[in-house]
Amino acid sequence: MAQKALILGCAGTVLSVDEAAFFRDIDPWGLILFRRNCAEPDQIRRLVGDFRAAVGRADAPVLIDQEGGRVQRLSPPFWPKYPPARIFAGLAANDPLLGRAMARLAGRLMAHDLLSLGITVDCAPVLDVPVAGAHDVIGDRAFSLVPAEVAALGRAMAEGLLAGGVLPVVKHIPGHGRAGADSHAALPVVDAPREALDDDFLPFRTLTDMPLAMTAHVVYTAIDPRRPATTSRRVMQSVIRGAIGYDGLVITDDLSMNALEGTLRARARHSYAAGCDVVLHCNGKLDEMMAVASEARGLAGRARRRAEAALGRIRHLPEPLDQVEALALFQDMLARQQTEPSSSGFAAGHALSV
């Protein structure tokens, strides 16, 4: 059976017999891990290895959301607790070069953590630009309220991940920052005029060279008043592939989120029809994964070329890193930020702990 344009989850810390058989039959492009799947390092390595054995591909992508702050699937005592992205804007306010250097170092350190477990894709950085009155689902997950600063700091983190042999996923294209609702729970509708959306698009336009992007389950009425970006061919063609100019692999956000309507089969079908290359289903429920898989397309044509190009970005030895020394430097710089006032107005009290 041909490899499928799918990324799926699993229920627990080990693959069940049924999950392994399902993955063997379906051959999804990748697996995504959540906190429910992560107990300790050796367990994660076994889980990753069992997935790759099931699909028969040693380089099958394994993804995780490791942004820092509120969205971090790997946490102490086995892994450092990283600060939210917003902390880097505080550093950059006093020293832009330092802010970018620290964002890159955070990405490099996270890549070290992930690659040591066999995880090769991090669903970060967040390139959304929050605005006043938006839902706080993004909040301090965003690097800044200034689009150009989001672009600069997001690039720095993405380059740190790539240097460490881990693929970044820029999200949530074309922008979730104006959303007045959490798309996990409801469908956000953004009524901003088209010209105002250019600020949202700027970070994504600046990082079009990044290999992977994740969509926003958000309606932009100025572009398509009926469908969210994930299932809107108009948004895909006129904005993501058009105005933004992104030609990397586009992955949906989680199809099981409540922002989307219809059955899971319909959500998958509409996402492919809109032009998404790969669909993502996260909750690990086998019956739901089977429903999504029943609509799955083979990974072929431009989607396959984009997927191969993405994997080609990490077919290199990771940039050398003394992890102990680098982590100590990172901690020291954040500790200094805690004791020094920031002209940015952002709170600096996000220490990194282990």
Side-chain angles (χ1 to χ4, degrees):
M1 183 174 290
Q3 188 181 143
K4 292 295 189 292
L6 277 176
I7 299 167
L8 299 172
C10 59
T13 55
V14 298
L15 284 190
S16 69
V17 172
D18 288 343
E19 286 172 335
F22 173 65
F23 291 148
R24 190 174 301 115
D25 290 342
I26 294 300
D27 193 11
W29 186 63
L31 174 75
I32 188 165
L33 302 181
F34 284 80
R35 193 163 292 167
R36 66 177 183 269
N37 308 122
C38 301
E40 50 87 14
D42 285 341
Q43 168 268 318
I44 296 174
R45 293 185 189 104
R46 286 191 297 270
L47 178 59
V48 168
D50 288 347
F51 169 72
R52 289 182 171 140
V55 298
R57 287 178 284 119
D59 66 346
V62 176
L63 298 78
I64 200 165
D65 291 279
Q66 191 75 350
E67 299 173 10
R70 289 177 287 144
V71 180
Q72 178 168 340
R73 313 306 185 197
L74 303 176
S75 296
F78 296 107
W79 302 280
K81 176 66 178 174
Y82 292 96
R86 187 66 59 85
I87 198 71
F88 302 110
L91 292 164
N94 295 324
D95 185 340
L97 291 177
L98 176 62
R100 292 197 293 272
M102 286 289 283
R104 187 187 190 280
L105 182 55
R108 182 65 188 88
L109 285 164
M110 287 190 279
H112 177 275
D113 299 340
L114 301 183
L115 198 61
S116 71
L117 304 171
I119 298 170
T120 51
V121 183
D122 189 2
C123 298
V126 170
L127 298 187
D128 303 317
V129 184
V131 299
H135 194 281
D136 65 0
V137 65
I138 299 299
D140 64 1
R141 296 168 63 193
F143 288 97
S144 173
L145 308 182
V146 180
E149 194 166 51
V150 171
L153 295 171
R155 174 171 291 284
M157 180 170 282
E159 289 179 348
L161 288 164
L162 283 167
V166 170
L167 291 173
V169 181
V170 295
K171 61 186 187 185
H172 304 82
I173 199 168
H176 205 296
R178 294 178 188 270
D182 180 353
S183 54
H184 293 86
L187 175 63
V189 176
V190 171
D191 289 321
R194 173 64 181 79
E195 57 271 18
L197 296 175
D198 284 340
D199 283 347
D200 304 50
F201 302 160
L202 186 146
F204 297 99
R205 290 204 312 269
T206 307
L207 276 78
T208 55
D209 57 316
M210 290 300 148
L212 307 171
M214 180 179 290
T215 63
H217 295 334
V218 176
V219 168
Y220 311 92
T221 59
I223 303 165
D224 185 342
R226 295 180 57 249
R227 292 184 180 273
T230 302
T231 58
S232 170
R233 189 161 185 82
R234 189 178 303 170
V235 173
M236 181 65 68
Q237 291 183 328
S238 69
V239 176
I240 294 175
R241 302 298 190 192
I244 290 174
Y246 186 73
D247 193 37
L249 191 80
V250 173
I251 302 167
T252 71
D253 205 344
D254 181 11
L255 293 186
S256 66
M257 291 163 64
N258 289 331
L260 300 182
E261 63 179 10
T263 66
L264 286 167
R265 292 183 61 175
R267 296 176 189 188
R269 186 167 61 252
H270 293 153
S271 298
Y272 288 127
C276 294
D277 295 307
V278 175
V279 301
L280 169 69
H281 181 274
C282 293
N283 66 25
K285 296 178 180 179
L286 189 55
D287 59 337
E288 292 192 13
M289 292 194 291
M290 289 178 173
V292 173
S294 70
E295 293 289 338
R297 293 184 178 180
L299 189 66
R302 282 180 291 185
R304 187 175 189 86
R305 290 194 293 273
R306 289 166 179 150
E308 284 300 312
L311 293 178
R313 297 285 295 272
I314 53 171
R315 291 187 178 123
H316 61 79
L317 288 176
E319 175 185 273
L321 178 78
D322 183 325
Q323 192 266 348
V324 173
E325 180 180 313
L327 184 59
L329 173 64
F330 192 75
Q331 291 173 317
D332 179 61
M333 293 306 299
L334 286 181
R336 291 187 192 184
Q337 174 69 5
Q338 284 185 292
T339 61
E340 296 175 4
S342 168
S343 61
S344 72
F346 294 129
H350 296 282
L352 181 143
S353 60
V354 292

